Amino acid sequence: MRSAAGSRQFQVLFLINRTGAAIFIMKRGRKTNEANSSSSEDTTGKESKRHKVVEKKTTVVQSPDWANLLQDIILQVFQYLPLLDRAHASQVCRSWNQVFHMPDLWRCFEFELNQPATSNLRTTHPELIKQIIKRHSNHLQYVSFKVDSSKESAEAACDILSQLVNCSLKTLGLISTARPSFMDLPKSHFISALTVVFVNSKSLSSLKIDDTPVDDPSLKVLVANNSDTLKLLKMSSCPHVSPAGILCVADQCHGLRELALNYHLLSDELLLALSSEKHVRLEHLRIDVVSENPGQTQFHTIQKSSWDAFIKHSPKVNLVMYFFLYEEEFDPFFRYETPVTHLYFGRSVSKDVLGRVGMTCPRLVELVVCANGLRPLDEELICIAERCKFLSAVGLGECEVSCSAFVEFVKMCGGRLSQLSIMEEVLIPDQKYSLEQIHWEVSKHLGRVWFPDMMPTW
C-alpha cells in the first residue's frame, strides 16, 4: 500500500492593506509527495505486515522575487512612502527604479521647505528637488508648498516655482505654517515666480495663495491664461489686491465656484458680478473680517439689494464669515438681513451683536462664539433658536448661559442639533437644573447621550 510523506513549504505573499501599507504574509501550505512503501503478504493472505513510514517534515522558505512584482502594486506602495524612502526604494532594482519615474507617481506632490536650524518639521532634500525639477516637472499637476515662517524657505519655494516652465498645473497651494513667510519676500520676486506658473499652466482650476504679496496685475495674468478653468480661489490676507483686482477675476472667470477673501475686497459690485447670468452658481464664499488694531480699520456696509441678488442667483451657497473684531467695530454688521450660513466669532462679542444675529441671519447653520463676557446669553440663544430654523451646530466658549435657558434652547432646536459643543464652565446652575441634571435633560431632547466639553472642540 502507499503512504504519503508530507513536506510543508512557506510562501511569502505581498499585499496592500486598507491604508495602503505593504504587508508581508508568510503562508503555510502543504505539498504532498508520493513515497514508496514496501509491503509483503504471505501466500495464504491471512497476515499482512505494515511497514511504518517515517515522514520527514521539511520547512522551505522561498525568497520572493521582488523584481517581478507587478508595477501597479509597487506604484500603490510608493504613493504612501515619504519622498526620501521612495528614493531609497528605487535603488533596489531596475523595475522599482522604473516605477519611481512613472508619471503617475509625480502628478500630486507637496514640497516641504523648512529650515533645520529653526524648525523640527521635515523638509524635502535639495538634491531630490533638483531631480524632480529635471526629470518630472512636466508631470506635476497637483502641487502644494508647505513652508515655515523663514524668509529662506519662502525664497526656496519661489525658486522652484520659477523653474516650472514645462508643467501644466491644475492646482497650486502656497501654505505658510506661520507668518510672515511669503510676505517677507520682495514683492517683485514673488510675483515673477508666480506668473511663471500662471502663464505656463493654462489650466489652473484651484489656487490657494493666502498671506502672499500677490497683486492686481498678477491676477490679470492669471485671468488671461486660466479664465476658462479656474473654479477655486483662496486669497485671504493679500494686502496688495484691491476690490478692482478681485472684480476682474469675477468678471472673467465664470466657472468660479469657491472664493475666499478678506472683507475689504467684498463690494456690491463683486456680489453683482458673481450674480450675473454668465456666472455659474457659487457654492462657497468665505469672508474673513479681521481687525489688527482697534479703532483703526473702517468697515464699509454691503447693501441688502446686493445680498439679495447674490442669493437669488446662488440660493444654495455656503456663506462663511469669520469675525476677529473688537466689540466697538461691529456697528456696520447685522443691521439688516444677512445670508450668512456659518458664523464664527474669534474674539469677544457683545450681547447686542448676538441679539442682532438672531434677528437678521435666518439661513444660519453653524454658530461658534469663543467669548462673550460675564452677562448671560439666555435671551439671545432663545431668539436664535426661534428664528434660525436651519441651525444644526453650536459652539460656546467663554460665555455664560443659565441651565434653564440652555435646556429651552436645546428643546426648541431639537434633534437637528448634530453638533453641540459647550464648555462646562458656560452653564450656570439655577433653581430648576443643576449641572448633574442638565446632562440627562439635554440628552433627552437631543435623542442621544450628551455631556458638556472639558475643552473646546471646534
Side-chain angles (χ1 to χ4, degrees):
M1 59 182 295
R2 293 176 180 268
S3 174
S7 66
R8 290 183 174 86
Q9 69 179 29
F10 290 83
Q11 295 176 328
V12 178
L13 302 182
F14 183 90
L15 303 177
I16 307 295
N17 71 2
R18 291 182 180 177
T19 64
I23 300 177
F24 298 93
I25 298 179
M26 190 170 286
K27 182 179 180 182
R28 175 176 292 180
R30 185 178 182 92
K31 183 177 180 181
T32 304
N33 296 321
E34 293 292 333
N36 293 327
S37 62
S38 59
S39 63
S40 60
E41 298 180 356
D42 57 12
T43 56
T44 62
K46 294 181 178 180
E47 293 182 356
S48 65
K49 295 181 179 180
R50 296 179 179 177
H51 295 271
K52 295 182 179 180
V53 179
V54 179
E55 293 185 352
K56 295 183 178 180
K57 299 181 180 180
T58 59
T59 300
V60 180
V61 178
Q62 294 182 342
S63 298
D65 187 356
W66 302 114
N68 288 331
L69 285 174
L70 292 177
Q71 288 194 338
D72 286 345
I73 294 178
I74 303 172
L75 179 63
Q76 290 185 50
V77 175
F78 274 22
Q79 288 174 339
Y80 288 92
L81 291 178
L83 178 60
L84 191 58
D85 293 342
R86 192 190 303 172
H88 289 158
S90 70
Q91 301 174 23
V92 169
C93 61
R94 180 177 298 176
S95 176
W96 287 28
N97 188 264
Q98 290 174 349
V99 174
F100 180 73
H101 294 293
M102 289 175 66
D104 285 352
L105 198 59
W106 299 98
R107 289 201 172 102
C108 181
F109 192 80
E110 180 177 74
F111 292 93
E112 297 178 291
L113 305 173
N114 304 290
Q115 299 304 306
T118 58
S119 174
N120 294 324
L121 300 175
R122 64 184 181 183
T123 187
T124 308
H125 196 279
E127 289 302 319
L128 287 175
I129 293 176
K130 290 180 182 178
Q131 290 299 315
I132 294 169
I133 299 300
K134 181 179 179 180
R135 301 193 61 172
H136 302 293
S137 62
N138 59 324
H139 300 149
L140 297 173
Q141 292 184 0
Y142 308 95
V143 173
S144 61
F145 292 81
K146 185 182 290 185
V147 303
D148 60 14
S149 61
S150 68
K151 182 178 180 180
E152 292 79 5
S153 296
E155 287 177 339
C158 288
D159 290 341
I160 296 172
L161 285 172
S162 63
Q163 298 178 65
L164 300 182
V165 294
N166 296 320
C167 68
S168 183
L169 297 187
K170 296 184 183 297
T171 69
L172 174 64
L174 304 181
I175 304 166
S176 299
T177 56
R179 293 183 180 183
S181 194
F182 292 104
M183 293 302 299
D184 252 2
L185 296 178
K187 178 183 167 185
S188 59
H189 180 44
F190 176 82
I191 296 299
S192 176
L194 192 62
T195 51
V196 168
V197 176
F198 289 171
V199 170
N200 290 283
S201 289
K202 306 291 186 183
S203 58
L204 268 174
S205 64
S206 174
L207 181 62
K208 301 177 183 179
I209 47 175
D210 298 326
D211 297 297
T212 65
V214 64
D215 59 6
D216 290 357
S218 57
L219 289 181
K220 290 182 178 180
V221 176
L222 168 68
V223 169
N225 293 276
N226 302 272
S227 61
D228 293 335
T229 57
L230 191 64
K231 295 181 180 179
L232 182 150
L233 177 61
K234 292 186 176 181
M235 46 180 302
S236 297
S237 301
C238 297
H240 301 297
V241 176
S242 71
I246 193 64
L247 183 60
C248 171
V249 176
D251 277 335
Q252 301 298 321
C253 300
H254 297 147
L256 195 66
R257 296 182 181 275
E258 296 187 38
L259 180 62
L261 67 163
N262 280 79
Y263 185 80
H264 79 274
L265 296 178
L266 187 68
S267 63
D268 295 293
E269 293 78 11
L270 175 61
L271 288 176
L272 294 176
L274 295 171
S275 306
S276 71
E277 291 301 323
K278 297 182 296 182
H279 205 288
V280 300
R281 289 179 172 84
L282 208 68
E283 297 173 359
H284 191 93
L285 175 61
R286 169 175 167 163
I287 302 169
D288 292 347
V289 192
V290 181
S291 172
E292 300 294 345
N293 301 304
Q296 297 186 14
T297 304
Q298 297 297 322
F299 293 97
H300 59 284
T301 300
I302 301 296
Q303 298 298 318
K304 183 178 183 300
S305 58
S306 302
W307 282 125
D308 290 344
F310 175 66
I311 294 301
K312 182 179 179 180
H313 180 72
S314 302
K316 296 182 179 180
V317 65
N318 286 319
L319 176 56
V320 183
M321 299 186 75
Y322 283 82
F323 282 88
F324 294 89
L325 301 183
Y326 297 92
E327 288 191 11
E328 62 271 17
E329 297 175 315
F330 275 99
D331 189 63
F333 301 98
F334 309 114
R335 291 296 178 184
Y336 48 78
E337 189 170 301
T338 306
V340 61
T341 56
H342 298 73
L343 190 53
Y344 305 90
F345 293 103
R347 292 182 184 147
S348 181
V349 58
S350 68
K351 283 172 60 70
D352 176 62
V353 171
L354 287 175
R356 300 203 311 254
V357 167
M359 300 295 292
T360 61
C361 301
R363 298 179 76 241
L364 192 62
V365 173
E366 182 175 11
L367 173 66
V368 174
V369 181
C370 291
N372 165 254
L374 299 178
R375 297 174 62 192
L377 299 177
D378 295 5
E379 299 84 359
E380 290 73 23
L381 279 183
I382 298 300
C383 178
I384 289 172
E386 287 177 345
R387 295 178 174 270
C388 303
K389 301 299 184 181
F390 303 103
L391 188 68
S392 61
V394 175
L396 298 179
E398 297 179 12
C399 311
E400 286 192 357
V401 181
S402 71
C403 287
S404 296
F406 182 66
V407 170
E408 183 64 22
F409 168 78
V410 174
K411 182 178 179 180
M412 294 174 68
C413 293
R416 75 170 189 261
L417 282 176
S418 58
Q419 291 182 313
L420 187 59
S421 179
I422 310 296
M423 293 283 290
E424 189 175 60
E425 292 80 1
V426 169
L427 301 171
I428 307 301
D430 52 26
Q431 294 180 350
K432 194 170 184 180
Y433 297 105
S434 66
L435 288 177
E436 291 75 19
Q437 293 171 317
I438 199 171
H439 149 64
W440 299 105
E441 194 68 22
V442 171
S443 298
K444 179 178 70 175
H445 294 299
L446 289 178
R448 64 181 188 274
V449 177
W450 179 86
F451 288 97
D453 293 327
M454 300 304 295
M455 59 183 299
T457 58
W458 55 82

